[in-house]
Amino acid sequence: MISNDPIIEKTILFAADLDDGQQVNDNLDELEELVKTAGAVVVGRLIQKKERIDNATYLGSGKVEELALLVEELGATTIVCDDELSPMQLTNLGQAISANVLDRTMVILDIFAGRANTREGKIQVELAQLKYRSSRLIGMRSSMSRLGGGIGTRGPGEKKLEIDRRLIRDRIAQLNRELEDVKQHRDTMRKQRMEGKLPIVSIVGYTNAGKSTLLNHLTDAGVLEEDKLFATLDPTSRNLKLNSGQEIIITDTVGFIKKLPHHLINAFRSTLEEAKYADVILHVVDVSNPHADEQILVVYETLRSLGVNDKPIVTAMNKIDKVDDIPIIKDLSADIVVSISAKKELGFEHLSDALTEIINKTRKYIEQLIPYTDAGIISRIHKSGTILEEDYREDGIFIRAYVDASIGID
Ligand SMILES: Nc1nc2c(ncn2[C@@H]2O[C@H](COP(=O)(O)OP(=O)(O)OP(=O)(O)O)[C@@H](O)[C@H]2O)c(=O)[nH]1
Ligand SMILES: [Mg+2]
């Protein structure tokens, strides 16, 4: 796999503040978490209030000089921009400042590259990296020819870029073919899961909200949970029996974040779309995070952009053990909201009841006597339904239950 270039060490974060309601300092807090997760330290920040982004250098020329001085003063080796930089901005900043120039997307790609475990995850990350890189190469080429390229760069430089681009194109094609293979395998598994008729609950939420912790404490999934962003990349599914006896399949997958790079969304589409095949969305929110409200919005925006609409939603306000008073956080899209602590296993009963209630809404209610000869139906009701009452009588079993609409009884 092509590594995402430089090793990040001492970094300075920078961003333009366009006064457009974006909380730039908060965004930089999050960028700092990302940079730390990628294994580097942040030694400084620089924010410029601006009306608009400078096409050539992102910051204005005075600020670029200031940043160059800051880099020297603090001995920084890398600068990271909170927004995606264009190829021209990358080149120009790289020339003006003696440090590696990165942007938020590159940092996220770098984290993903370090986290991918499965074949699918690895292919997806490499694809995203290559696509990001090839768009930079193409841009770099045009900006270079505009500049005339300088002595010695133009001829061989262009040729090398041509070769790079062809290699990248070939590799992208090969990866796409491999991904197609893996996807088919996954589609088959998904189909089997859906044919199993067990309701599928998909855990979604902002990165670090506690999704994997919840899955681990509900089942014994053994998914990596860490106080780092994007601890989980690969989807994990487990069977879980709710208090009502109802069995479900519950899935944990990659978390969402503000400004999730679109190359990553495209490459990870099949993973992110896991929620599309769910009967119920379980939305985990970290109530101890001061930006919980905004994170909720980001989650719903991302779900919408993935085409996940109109699913019943249970929201679990998580980490209540970490706060003295549970803050008032509204999730207007949720059908049911419960408060939990995944880590301390608080509120699990309410969560289980909420899931049962929601699942039952997607099912039909039956109240009837089923002859013993219909053993197939009886066992399917046991497996996938919620039984409210069961009475073994002479001529059959009298059952009151919620069952999947496709079970052949009226
Ligand atoms: N105090 C407290 N900490 C929690 C709780 N739930 C999760 N955490 C912590 O929050 C951090 C993130 O948890 P994860 O389960 O890895 O979060 P995630 O949503 O899976 O994150 P990504 O996979 O990175 O998207 C870990 O350090 C957990 O121990 C909770 O209920 N209370
Ligand atoms: Mg996780």
Side-chain angles (χ1 to χ4, degrees), residues 236-278:
T236 307
S237 293
R238 288 289 179 274
N239 284 43
L240 170 69
K241 209 174 200 149
L242 300 176
N243 291 343
S244 56
Q246 167 78 55
E247 212 176 304
I248 61 167
I249 292 173
I250 186 160
T251 301
D252 170 36
T253 184
V254 56
F256 301 157
I257 195 166
K258 241 187 292 184
K259 305 188 193 179
L260 194 61
H262 74 270
H263 286 293
L264 262 182
I265 295 197
N266 286 338
F268 269 78
R269 189 161 283 275
S270 75
T271 303
L272 290 164
E273 275 179 346
E274 201 62 36
K276 235 179 163 163
Y277 302 91

Side-chain angles (χ1 to χ4, degrees), residues 206-214 224-232 252-256 318-322 340-344:
Y206 209 78
T207 181
N208 215 42
K211 301 178 293 298
S212 303
T213 308
L214 181 60
L224 176 70
E225 39 182 278
E226 254 191 297
D227 197 9
K228 283 190 171 171
L229 307 183
F230 299 117
T232 315
D252 170 36
T253 184
V254 56
F256 301 157
N318 187 31
K319 307 197 189 179
I320 52 166
D321 59 292
K322 252 180 117 172
I340 64 159
S341 163
K343 203 170 171 175
K344 301 265 161 34

Side-chain angles (χ1 to χ4, degrees), residues 177-213:
R177 279 194 300 272
E178 282 182 33
L179 193 59
E180 207 39 55
D181 275 359
V182 184
K183 253 198 204 138
Q184 269 177 19
H185 173 70
R186 174 210 281 283
D187 285 348
T188 316
M189 304 245 299
R190 189 180 273 153
K191 227 167 132 202
Q192 281 171 359
R193 244 190 284 153
M194 290 170 77
E195 277 167 4
K197 294 289 176 253
L198 289 183
I200 298 172
V201 173
S202 182
I203 305 179
V204 304
Y206 209 78
T207 181
N208 215 42
K211 301 178 293 298
S212 303
T213 308

